[in-house]
């Protein structure tokens, strides 16, 4: 009788219930054109998490500044004008005309406009402005309130979510990155030369790493992913192991 009682009690202990995994924040930082966005997007989809492209937010701010005359022909920024007008704008993500997730600035889908080399050349200076970073950070922290988010950028693990459960720092040789970016531009019908793409990448690396506010650097507790010689499936094998070993998480 006593044995039956014990067995009944034990079988109802919570350890026998299926394990519920709590959601985590995955911060993916690293150099430009390391494939962070595509990787982060797929990781989010396979975990059923929300994906946030933080570079797109800085690009949208740059697009706003440029199209509203806050950046002149020589690249000089009217900081005062931008600081006054920026907070009234809404930047976010929803479906674009092609049915894919896209970046919106107020009521306009700006996904295509923010990816041009012209905006790429201007975005580093805009993203180095402290008031721009504060504006974007506020929006990003709201996305992270419920966890279950994969965010890629430059300072997510070091500044936006220093307590993120998993931090990944992605890098690759600059020539490899330039080649990948060049191919993307060509596939999209762009005309920039390989040398221009390489120059732009080097300049952006330099500005991102040396700026005073939230410079790009690997967080001490971030895991390094150098994908110079790695295929996309290999990167997933690498991540699968970390997610399973550290968090008991399995991607679909
Ligand atoms: O990832 P991307 O190339 O779309 O980013 C565009 C620019 O935005 C990049 O030059 C650096 C900046 N950026 C940033 O400063 N902090 C982030 N968290 C994300 C991007």
């Amino acid at each position: 009788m006593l044995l039956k009682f014990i067995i009944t009690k034990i079988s109802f202990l919570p350890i026998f219930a299926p394990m519920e995994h709590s959601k985590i924040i995955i911060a993916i930082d690293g150099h430009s054109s390391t494939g962070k966005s595509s990787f982060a997007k797929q990781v989010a989809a396979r975990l059923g998490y929300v994906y946030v492209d933080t570079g797109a937010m800085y690009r949208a701010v740059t697009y706003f500044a440029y199209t509203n005359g806050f950046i002149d022909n020589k690249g000089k920024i009217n900081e005062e004008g931008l600081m006054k007008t920026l907070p009234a704008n809404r930047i976010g993500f929803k479906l674009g005309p092609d049915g894919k997730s896209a970046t919106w600035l107020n009521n306009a889908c700006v996904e295509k406009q923010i990816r041009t080399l012209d905006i790429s050349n201007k975005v580093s200076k805009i993203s180095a402005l402290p008031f721009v970073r504060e504006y974007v950070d506020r929006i990003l922290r709201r996305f992270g309130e419920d966890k279950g988010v994969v965010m890629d950028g430059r300072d997510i693990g070091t500044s936006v979510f220093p307590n993120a459960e998993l931090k990944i720092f992605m890098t690759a040789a600059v020539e490899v990155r330039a080649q990948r970016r060049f191919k993307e531009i060509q596939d999209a019908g762009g005309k920039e030369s390989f040398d221009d793409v390489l120059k732009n990448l080097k300049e952006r690396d330099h500005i991102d790493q040396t700026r005073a506010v939230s410079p790009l650097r690997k967080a001490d507790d971030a895991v390094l992913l150098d994908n110079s010689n790695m295929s996309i499936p290999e990167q997933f094998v690498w991540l699968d192991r970390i997610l399973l070993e550290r968090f008991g998480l399995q991607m679909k």
Side-chain angles (χ1 to χ4, degrees), residues 54-55 58-59 123-124 127 133 153-155 204 208 211:
T54 69
Y58 288 103
R59 285 172 180 273
V123 63
S124 289
S127 64
R133 301 207 74 84
R154 303 294 187 288
D155 63 337
R204 283 165 67 194
D208 290 347
R211 69 176 172 225

Side-chain angles (χ1 to χ4, degrees), residues 81-210:
L82 182 59
M83 197 188 305
K84 274 194 192 138
T85 49
L86 186 60
N89 290 278
R90 272 178 300 112
I91 295 175
F93 305 98
K94 58 183 178 180
L95 297 186
D98 60 359
K100 291 183 184 163
S101 173
T103 312
W104 287 68
L105 171 62
N106 301 315
N107 295 321
C109 174
V110 293
E111 185 59 35
K112 210 164 162 217
Q113 293 86 328
I114 64 169
R115 307 286 169 191
T116 61
L117 193 58
D118 206 18
I119 294 298
S120 297
N121 281 331
K122 295 175 170 62
V123 63
S124 289
K125 274 194 184 165
I126 290 285
S127 64
L129 298 171
F131 71 88
V132 170
R133 301 207 74 84
E134 275 167 31
Y135 167 83
V136 171
D137 283 0
R138 255 198 311 276
I139 302 173
L140 298 181
R141 291 201 177 106
R142 257 182 261 139
F143 275 112
E145 276 166 7
D146 297 329
K147 304 222 172 188
V149 70
V150 182
M151 225 175 245
D152 80 302
R154 303 294 187 288
D155 63 337
I156 309 305
T158 50
S159 172
V160 183
F161 290 115
N163 297 324
E165 288 80 1
L166 177 59
K167 300 177 189 176
I168 298 172
F169 189 85
M170 283 176 77
T171 192
V174 69
E175 289 77 12
V176 174
R177 292 187 275 135
Q179 190 54 52
R180 289 176 187 159
R181 184 83 194 107
F182 179 58
K183 189 173 176 306
E184 266 172 27
I185 291 171
Q186 277 195 322
D187 290 349
K191 297 273 178 285
E192 291 90 11
S193 69
F194 174 79
D195 286 348
D196 282 348
V197 174
L198 181 64
K199 187 165 166 261
N200 170 263
L201 272 185
K202 285 184 177 170
E203 277 170 13
R204 283 165 67 194
D205 283 356
H206 179 72
I207 300 179
D208 290 347
Q209 288 167 170
T210 56

Side-chain angles (χ1 to χ4, degrees), residues 210-238:
T210 56
R211 69 176 172 225
V213 195
S214 306
L216 168 67
R217 65 172 184 85
K218 179 183 165 299
D220 294 338
D221 53 350
V223 275
L224 181 71
L225 174 57
D226 181 337
N227 64 16
S228 304
N229 298 305
M230 275 173 102
S231 66
I232 291 171
E234 281 170 343
Q235 294 177 57
F236 276 100
V237 171
W238 174 88

